[in-house]
Amino acid sequence: GENVEQHPSTLSVQEGDSAVIKCTYSDSASNYFPWYKQELGKRPQLIIDIRSNVGEKKDQRIAVTLNKTAKHFSLHITETQPEDSAVYFCAATHSSGGSYIPTFGRGTSLIVHP
Amino acid sequence: DTAVSQTPKYLVTQMGNDKSIKCEQNLGHDTMYWYKQDSKKFLKIMFSYNNKELIINETVPNRFSPKSPDKAHLNLHINSLELGDSAVYFCASSQIRDRGNEKLFFGSGTQLSVL
């Protein structure tokens, strides 16, 4: 099955700095890569996703890049704000219309200091 | 108008008891899931279910069983609760047949504490 490694486990930055979280996956058939943000005591929510036919996607201050050959993808947050503090999860999925099991990384706790 | 709702939000019980957590989605999705989130925040898939197929993570003890009375509900039954079952359990749903909309919608979670 799929195995997703996520680094770092904890990331501490100053407000205004950039933050980068990296993930690698093992199953070359995976073709959908979502990122979820989970604030303290809340449910995980999708913030951005990318498919294997796209190398980069951006939405305001967040961007995701995908290197399909190397099987790694990254989340980039620019101009970080205290409200970006949360746990971020990457996931890799083989989406074929049949079985569909998103496999999550172990999460990155991002702390943005004011 | 909560998209995915699960009850109860908190569940405190004794070891050895049997308990259930209910989940309902009003999004018309075709697939539902149960995830376990431990104290280190790791989200571990337990079950994936649509009306045709149940996929079970082989590491899940058979004390855990999903029950789906209809397409909008996937309840989680746990028998003979153990201390190690204490965690937050999240229900989620997605529409996997509609490519481009596979994102997961999570419920608000159930904090299970086994004493």
Side-chain angles (χ1 to χ4, degrees), chain B residues 17-113:
Chain B
N17 284 351
D18 302 338
K19 290 292 177 185
S20 295
I21 306 172
K22 294 185 178 180
C23 180
E24 175 183 6
Q25 54 96 3
N26 63 7
L27 298 166
H29 285 170
D30 57 20
T31 306
M32 296 183 73
Y33 312 81
W34 277 103
Y35 280 88
K36 177 182 180 180
Q37 187 170 46
D38 60 24
S39 58
K40 295 185 177 179
K41 303 297 183 185
F42 180 44
L43 276 167
K44 175 185 169 184
I45 182 75
M46 300 179 72
F47 305 101
S48 166
Y49 183 75
N50 61 28
N51 57 7
K52 292 181 180 178
E53 186 178 19
L54 171 66
I55 298 175
I56 303 171
N57 183 330
E58 65 272 11
T59 67
V60 175
N62 58 15
R63 298 181 295 104
F64 291 80
S65 58
K67 296 283 194 302
S68 181
D70 55 57
K71 192 178 171 182
H73 296 82
L74 184 67
N75 303 324
L76 181 65
H77 296 269
I78 317 170
N79 295 327
S80 302
L81 278 155
E82 300 178 357
L83 292 175
D85 297 334
S86 296
V88 179
Y89 292 83
F90 284 100
C91 175
S93 72
S94 68
Q95 181 67 9
I96 69 168
R97 289 199 193 89
D98 184 8
R99 191 171 183 274
N101 286 292
E102 305 101 316
K103 72 178 185 179
L104 294 175
F105 289 80
F106 284 88
S108 57
T110 296
Q111 172 79 60
L112 172 65
S113 299

Side-chain angles (χ1 to χ4, degrees), chain A residues 38-76:
Chain A
Q38 185 179 25
E39 296 177 355
L40 188 63
K42 302 287 181 64
R43 73 192 78 192
Q45 291 188 296
L46 182 83
I47 54 171
I48 196 167
D49 55 11
I50 193 167
R51 298 187 183 280
S52 56
N53 59 348
V54 176
E56 183 173 355
K57 184 176 178 181
K58 190 173 181 180
D59 182 4
Q60 298 182 348
R61 295 187 298 106
I62 60 174
V64 58
T65 59
L66 171 66
N67 184 326
K68 195 178 177 185
T69 303
K71 288 191 272 193
H72 65 71
F73 56 114
S74 302
L75 178 72
H76 304 252

